[in-house]
């Protein structure tokens, strides 16, 4: 029997975490790991005490045909990365790795081009997390160095055309 590599092991756990997600479009699971210890987990869902989209039976972004990756301010959910960061101490996140897995809520297929949104990237940068590992398929993934997000500030390109 072949042993599962560590990155896929943690991605498998993040994929289990996303099962708690309550979004009608896409659910994500995140775990933050440091020194082979899981620091925190997070999934996509409405803030505590508010109704989730699955409880309401509709998604306002879907009803308005909002394209993926835009107008997150209309979304009821807190992203999985943000929920994982909220649940952890910054001193525990400095130098850590965040593992991210996304799944389409309707097709149940993995989101092959998953990535953190601009706001989650900012949170990840400030948290002290060093890298984000994103699942593409059951066995393949991408490693994103957070330093790349800092050096290649996409917020300037998107907002100001630099």
């Amino acid at each position: 029997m072949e042993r599962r590599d560590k990155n896929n092991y943690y991605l498998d756990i993040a994929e289990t975490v996303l099962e708690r997600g309550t979004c009608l479009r896409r659910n994500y699971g995140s775990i933050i790991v440091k020194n082979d210890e899981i620091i925190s987990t997070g999934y996509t869902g409405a803030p505590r005490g508010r109704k989730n989209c699955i409880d309401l039976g509709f998604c306002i972004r879907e009803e308005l045909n909002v394209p993926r990756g835009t107008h997150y301010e209309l979304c009821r959910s807190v992203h999985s990365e943000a929920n994982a960061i909220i649940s952890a101490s910054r001193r525990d996140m400095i130098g850590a790795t965040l593992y991210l897995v996304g799944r389409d809520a309707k097709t149940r297929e993995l989101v092959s081009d998953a990535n953190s949104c601009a706001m989650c990237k900012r949170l990840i940068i400030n948290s002290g997390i060093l890298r984000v590992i994103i699942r593409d398929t059951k066995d393949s993934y991408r490693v994103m160095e957070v330093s790349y997000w800092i050096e290649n500030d996409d917020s300037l390109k998107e907002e100001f055309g630099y």
Side-chain angles (χ1 to χ4, degrees):
M1 185 172 124
E2 198 171 312
R3 192 173 185 202
R4 191 87 162 132
D5 68 90
K6 276 265 174 87
N7 286 332
N8 275 307
Y9 165 73
Y10 288 125
L11 288 165
D12 290 345
I13 295 169
E15 191 168 345
T16 298
V17 170
L18 75 75
E19 295 292 338
R20 289 278 306 153
T22 60
C23 179
L24 293 170
R25 293 178 81 166
R26 283 174 199 83
N27 284 297
Y28 286 84
S30 293
I31 65 169
I32 298 172
V33 176
K34 184 174 180 184
N35 299 326
D36 278 334
E37 181 180 346
I38 296 173
I39 304 301
S40 68
T41 67
Y43 56 86
T44 310
R48 286 184 172 88
R50 289 189 177 177
K51 290 187 185 292
N52 292 294
C53 292
I54 60 170
D55 301 324
L56 295 170
F58 69 92
C59 168
I60 191 66
R61 293 181 74 226
E62 208 165 65
E63 286 188 359
L64 296 173
N65 290 316
V66 175
R68 178 178 172 203
T70 66
H71 301 291
Y72 286 118
E73 71 276 7
L74 299 174
C75 183
R76 296 188 60 75
S77 290
V78 177
H79 290 182
S80 69
E81 303 99 315
N83 274 324
I85 289 168
I86 289 165
S87 296
S89 161
R90 185 169 188 279
R91 76 174 165 271
D92 291 335
M93 290 186 287
I94 295 172
T97 299
L98 186 144
Y99 292 85
L100 176 68
V101 181
R103 185 181 297 148
D104 185 281
K106 291 178 187 65
T107 67
R108 306 286 294 154
E109 292 179 16
L110 292 173
V111 178
S112 62
D113 60 347
N115 204 346
S116 297
C117 74
M119 182 56 76
C120 286
K121 285 179 181 178
R122 292 175 198 147
L123 294 172
I124 290 166
I125 290 167
N126 271 7
S127 72
I129 291 169
L130 285 184
R131 77 190 48 79
V132 177
I133 299 180
I134 305 169
R135 172 160 278 168
D136 289 323
T137 69
K138 193 65 179 168
D139 296 310
S140 66
Y141 52 84
R142 286 171 283 133
V143 178
M144 307 297 297
E145 298 296 333
V146 173
S147 61
Y148 179 83
W149 291 345
I150 296 167
E151 294 160 10
N152 298 279
D153 188 347
D154 60 355
S155 68
L156 291 175
K157 294 173 191 149
E158 291 170 10
E159 296 173 25
F160 304 107
Y162 291 111

